[in-house]
Structure formats: C-alpha cells, structure tokens
Amino acid sequence: MDSFTDNHSSSSASDSPRAPSPSSSSSATNRALQLLHSDDPDSKLEAAREIRRLTKTSQRCRRHLSAAVHPLVRMLRPESPEPHHESALLALLNLAVKDEKNKINIIEAGALEPIINFLRSENLNLQEYATAALLTLSASAVNKPFISASGAIPLLVEILRDGSTQAKFDAVMALSNLSTHPDNPSIILESNPIPFIVDLLKFCKKSSKTAEKCSALIESLVGFEEGRTALTSQEGGVLAVVEVLENGSLQAREHAVGALLMMCESNRCKYREPILREGVIPGLLELTVQGTPKSQTKAQTLLRLLRESPYPRSELQPDTLENIVCNIISQIDGEEQSGKAKKMLAEMVQVSMEQSLRHLQQRALVCTPTDLPIASSCTSEVPSK
C-alpha cells in the first residue's frame, strides 16, 4: 500500500487557482535543485520546502526531482538542524509517493538509519513523519527486506502501542505492507503486536482502510500458532475480527473470514468454540451470498467446519449449506443469536433462489431466438431436475 499523500501538510493543492504550466514547473524544479546544492543552510531549507510543494500532486515533478533524493537524505543527518530534518523528510515522502524508483533510491541513499532514529525521537512530529515514511517506502517489494533488517519492526510496534492516533494508523499499515514478505510475519510476532492491533481495530471504523489493514495483518499473523493463541487470549480479539467480517469493506471482510478459517483449519477442536461464541454465523451467512468470490468460498468452508461434524452425515441428509447452518443453529446458546441466524438463513435462501431464477431467465433469453420455438433451443442448456 502506498497511501501517504502529504496528509500532514497544512496546505492543499486547492490553494493555487490553477496548476502551473509545464514550462513554469520545469523552471521551478531547476531552481529548487540549485538551492538544494547551495552551501547556505537557509537555501537548502527553502529548497526542501519547495520540493515538497512541487511534488505534492505532480507525478511529473517527482520524476524531474529524482536527483534531489541524495542531497535531501544528507539533510537527515544528526548534525543538521531539526527544521531541516522535518522539511527534508516530508520532501522525500512526496517524492516517494507512487514512484517506485524514488522509493528504492531513498533507501539506497541511506535514509533508513536516520528514519529509524526519528522513530525514537521525542519530537512527536518527527516520529509521525518517520512512521509515514516507512509506510510509503514499505509499499515497494524491493525495500521490505531492508526495512525489516534495519530493526524497524519492533519500533513500529512501539508506535502502535504508544504513538499518536495518526502514527498508529500509519504503523499498522506499514506492518501490514511488511507482513507480505515471507520472512517478516514471524519477526513481527516477536514484538507481540496482537494486543495493540486489536485495540486499534476496536477503535477504528470497521469500514475504514485502517480496519482493512488490521485484518490483513491479523490474517498474516494467525498463520502461526503464537498469533492464533495471542488473538484468542486477547479480550475481544476474536470479536473484533467478527465485527469486521460483519461491517467491514469487501476486502476487509475477506481478510477477516480468511483469518477465522485459518484458525479453524489449524485446530478445529481448539478454535471452533471461541469463534462460534462471538456470533459469527449471521456474518458468514451474509458473506456466502454477498461477499467476494473468495469470501463466499471461505465462508462456506468455515460454516462446514463450525458445525458439530464437518463431514456429510448420510445420503439422506445431503451436505447442503442449509443443512449445515441448521445443524449449527441447533447448537447455539441464546435465543437472540439463534433467532438472528435463522432469519439470516431464510434471507440467504430467498436471495439464492432469486439469483437462480434471474440466472435461468437470462439463460432463456440468450438461448431462445425469437424465430425459434422454446422447446427446440434450450434442451442442452438447462438440465432437467
């Protein structure tokens, strides 16, 4: 994910009545580069601020100003004044947005070491900007192993625990980005991040991008027994995932059902009850007809695992989704949850029947030319029942 777009700026692109012409933009980039290479500290600071402004919304300027990466990284050194650190870091952030080459060049130029130091800074602005920098830079697959090798992961987990609200959002997204590298989930787990991810998931809006990234990260971490144990041990941990399954974005719901399915597949006897106890059935029923194709398949598989026996019991009781769910409903404690599940099952069957009817009608229209009788046109298309 590459989400940082200079959200920390107090100004916006709308401040200017119209975008600069290519010629004026080229002139401005050249002037910024000249100032950046000046020996005057104030000129360098002015250049960093101008580069930040020029690259805020312009991909063209990001390309033209790629030569600014190395001198901007030099401004991050400890001997530079703190205002230089902030302005240079924000300029680098804007240069990296949606530009893979700049992301890689920033790491290669040596930016990681000062960025890691800024994560430890008592200056909360620097700490926040450094977290956003790692979010943006971690969107590059090339950078992920370098970022994890730098020792950034434990510090990002600390930010997730103690940082500002914005820093926490950026930290969980950065960790989610890093978790897609095969070596990183186990490194992330060593810092015990699950309690802080769950806390953030409880607090944030379930349909938000933050909830989506929390769910994706949890799905990566429950691939390990330590992650599964941590989630079920955390108060409200499984419930938070179930709430995303019910109210999240389509992608977030896919991650949530994937996480629960992974837990149940790893040890059905251990995780079936904790998942059922949080009232997951209505959300799973809804996913079977309204989720993404992956969500639908995962939801149906999880429903089979959650019933008393995950296997068909006899030919007289076919392994239909309705029978599976009825079997689960019969085991649910509490009238409210059972009633809600029964209502959802009835709605699911109704939606399924309506979809099947529409599908048959569409097929009939496609395969029934107006000049041919119905009987001679569709016999091979619609199987008899």
Side-chain angles (χ1 to χ4, degrees), residues 80-127:
S80 298
E82 200 165 80
H84 285 60
H85 293 163
E86 293 188 14
S87 294
L89 188 52
L90 288 169
L92 287 166
L93 272 167
N94 282 3
L95 279 167
V97 170
K98 298 180 182 178
D99 194 305
E100 180 73 6
K101 287 185 179 180
N102 282 348
K103 286 182 177 70
I104 295 170
N105 288 341
I106 289 168
I107 296 290
E108 290 179 344
L112 263 182
E113 184 178 350
I115 288 174
I116 297 303
N117 289 332
F118 296 153
L119 286 179
R120 302 186 181 99
S121 174
E122 293 182 2
N123 180 329
L124 295 182
N125 282 337
L126 264 181
Q127 189 182 97

Side-chain angles (χ1 to χ4, degrees), residues 189-338:
L189 271 173
E190 290 173 2
S191 298
N192 190 31
I194 295 284
F196 316 123
I197 300 170
V198 169
D199 285 345
L200 190 59
L201 194 52
K202 289 177 181 177
F203 167 77
C204 71
K205 189 176 180 180
K206 299 302 179 286
S207 58
S208 66
K209 181 64 71 172
T210 300
E212 182 180 314
K213 291 301 175 179
C214 285
S215 303
L217 185 52
I218 287 173
E219 185 179 19
S220 294
L221 299 180
V222 297
F224 299 80
E225 182 59 30
E226 309 98 284
R228 296 189 287 270
T229 301
L231 184 65
T232 51
S233 300
Q234 180 68 20
E235 184 178 355
V238 175
L239 176 60
V241 177
V242 170
E243 288 176 342
V244 173
L245 185 146
E246 292 176 334
N247 301 309
S249 66
L250 285 175
Q251 197 60 48
R253 298 176 81 186
E254 188 175 301
H255 290 307
V257 71
L260 297 175
L261 177 59
M262 196 176 298
M263 293 172 67
C264 213
E265 285 181 328
S266 70
N267 190 331
R268 179 177 173 274
C269 293
K270 182 175 181 180
Y271 296 113
R272 174 178 174 270
E273 285 302 324
I275 292 172
L276 270 178
R277 193 163 53 236
E278 303 300 352
V280 73
I281 300 304
L284 287 177
L285 288 174
E286 189 175 334
L287 273 186
T288 61
V289 291
Q290 296 182 356
T292 65
K294 284 185 179 179
S295 295
Q296 290 179 358
T297 301
K298 290 177 179 180
Q300 291 178 14
T301 304
L302 183 54
L303 282 167
R304 288 185 172 89
L305 290 172
L306 290 176
R307 71 174 180 172
E308 191 171 13
S309 169
Y311 308 106
R313 285 183 282 180
S314 74
E315 293 184 3
L316 297 176
Q317 282 188 302
D319 196 29
T320 64
L321 192 55
E322 289 84 354
N323 281 343
I324 291 167
V325 177
C326 287
N327 174 265
I328 298 172
I329 293 172
S330 68
Q331 305 162 50
I332 295 176
D333 293 327
E335 291 183 8
E336 182 179 349
Q337 190 186 147
S338 179

Side-chain angles (χ1 to χ4, degrees), residues 27-59:
S27 174
T29 57
N30 289 336
R31 179 178 179 275
L33 287 172
Q34 288 176 353
L35 288 172
L36 193 60
H37 287 91
S38 166
D39 292 331
D40 177 37
D42 290 338
S43 295
K44 289 180 183 291
L45 184 60
E46 181 185 348
R49 289 171 176 168
E50 181 67 2
I51 290 168
R52 176 191 177 191
R53 184 187 69 80
L54 290 168
T55 55
K56 189 178 200 176
T57 56
S58 171
Q59 186 63 32

Side-chain angles (χ1 to χ4, degrees), residues 1-3 100 103 134-141 144 147 177:
M1 176 177 176
D2 186 359
S3 70
E100 180 73 6
K103 286 182 177 70
L134 290 177
L135 163 58
T136 302
L137 296 172
S138 64
S140 166
K144 291 177 186 183
I147 294 173
N177 283 349

